Amino acid sequence: MFLENVYHDNEVFFLIYNKPFPFSFLFFPFKNMKNIIITGATKGIGRALVDIFAANGFNVAICARSTKDLELLAQELKTQYPNIKVLYKATDMSKKEDVVAFGNYIKEHWTSIDVLINNAGVFIPCTVIEPSNEDKFVTMMDTNLYSAYYMTNSVLDTFLTQQQGHIINICSIASIMPYSAYSVSKFALLGYTKVLREELKEKGIRVTAILPGATLTPSWNGVDLPKERFMTAEDIAKAVYNCYELSPYTVVEEMVLRPQLGQPET
């Protein structure tokens, strides 16, 4: 039985049996919605991450190279999760100016950020000893390492002001195993994540490195292997969300995930 309504901190409360319940508790599933940034969000692991966090009531800021892909994803999210807000911007994560522009765009709309997932990456098969591979090597370093560095720095002031939040870098099993030139960029990303963890641990900001093995994403297109030899992107997303869900007193520093049958040889 509703007896009366009162106001507190701009929220309407109804007194039900002399106990206060917020108006939003009765009508809206997510009162204090949180904000997450996910780079490389339209395919593979990135898309699975968007789905699981959106399903749990997060507003999402997403980027990818294709404006069309972003528009389609944003529309799907708004249809499936009408209570969340979606920010998106076409971004080439291999270019510093694009990454910084994306970070500034987010801060124009959000005053708080709860999670940043640096997921954008690229795999280009090549060796490090062949001089003609220099452009490929530089592209992987720009996309797999420097994008995370610039993206993090572009919004780090918000995290530091809050004294809380979670930065999650999607590394790779190649961060700990030598898989051609690609591994150099992923080893570097893991090293960056370790240093970031040390520098932010006393500032209330959690930092996690996720090291997935073979995951069934477009990166493996053309490989003649049964799907049973791969993990699903949804499983990786669940693992990431479980890391986030822990209390602020606990952080998963590193998580390695591999297919049950082990990493397939290519």
Side-chain angles (χ1 to χ4, degrees), residues 166 197 206-210 239 242-244 246 250-255:
H166 200 161
R197 158 68 178 150
R206 297 187 291 171
V207 179
T208 297
I210 303 293
N242 287 339
C243 290
Y244 164 75
L246 299 174
T250 305
V251 61
V252 176
E253 292 185 330
E254 294 178 29
M255 177 181 285

Side-chain angles (χ1 to χ4, degrees), residues 53-152:
F53 278 90
N56 282 279
F58 278 73
N59 298 318
V60 297
I62 55 178
C63 71
R65 293 192 184 199
S66 169
T67 299
K68 181 179 179 181
D69 288 348
L70 286 167
E71 290 174 344
L72 289 172
L73 176 54
Q75 187 56 53
E76 288 180 25
L77 292 171
K78 291 174 183 177
T79 299
Q80 191 168 2
Y81 310 109
N83 290 313
I84 74 167
K85 295 179 180 178
V86 180
L87 301 179
Y88 65 90
K89 183 176 177 61
T91 305
D92 183 344
M93 295 299 291
S94 70
K95 297 179 179 179
K96 176 182 177 180
E97 58 272 22
D98 273 26
V99 178
V100 173
F102 180 52
N104 290 337
Y105 170 72
I106 293 167
K107 292 192 292 185
E108 289 173 2
H109 292 80
W110 290 350
T111 57
S112 66
I113 301 168
D114 297 280
V115 187
L116 163 63
I117 302 183
N118 288 306
N119 170 70
V122 63
F123 170 68
I124 307 173
C126 67
T127 64
V128 294
I129 61 174
E130 174 55 56
S132 64
N133 289 332
E134 180 178 343
D135 288 347
K136 297 176 182 177
F137 179 78
V138 170
T139 296
M140 286 192 286
M141 292 297 291
D142 286 341
T143 308
N144 299 341
L145 172 63
Y146 288 114
S147 71
Y149 173 76
Y150 294 131
M151 186 72 243
T152 300

Side-chain angles (χ1 to χ4, degrees), residues 160-171:
L160 292 173
T161 298
Q162 298 169 169
Q163 292 285 291
Q164 65 178 3
H166 200 161
I167 299 171
I168 301 170
N169 290 338
I170 306 300
C171 299

Side-chain angles (χ1 to χ4, degrees), residues 188-230:
L189 180 59
L190 178 59
Y192 167 64
T193 308
K194 288 174 177 284
V195 173
L196 198 63
R197 158 68 178 150
E198 287 302 308
E199 294 184 358
L200 293 179
K201 65 183 180 182
E202 294 184 0
K203 301 183 185 300
I205 302 164
R206 297 187 291 171
V207 179
T208 297
I210 303 293
L211 287 69
T215 307
L216 194 57
T217 67
S219 297
W220 289 88
N221 286 348
V223 175
D224 186 20
L225 288 170
K227 65 178 183 179
E228 292 78 14
R229 293 297 284 112
F230 298 91

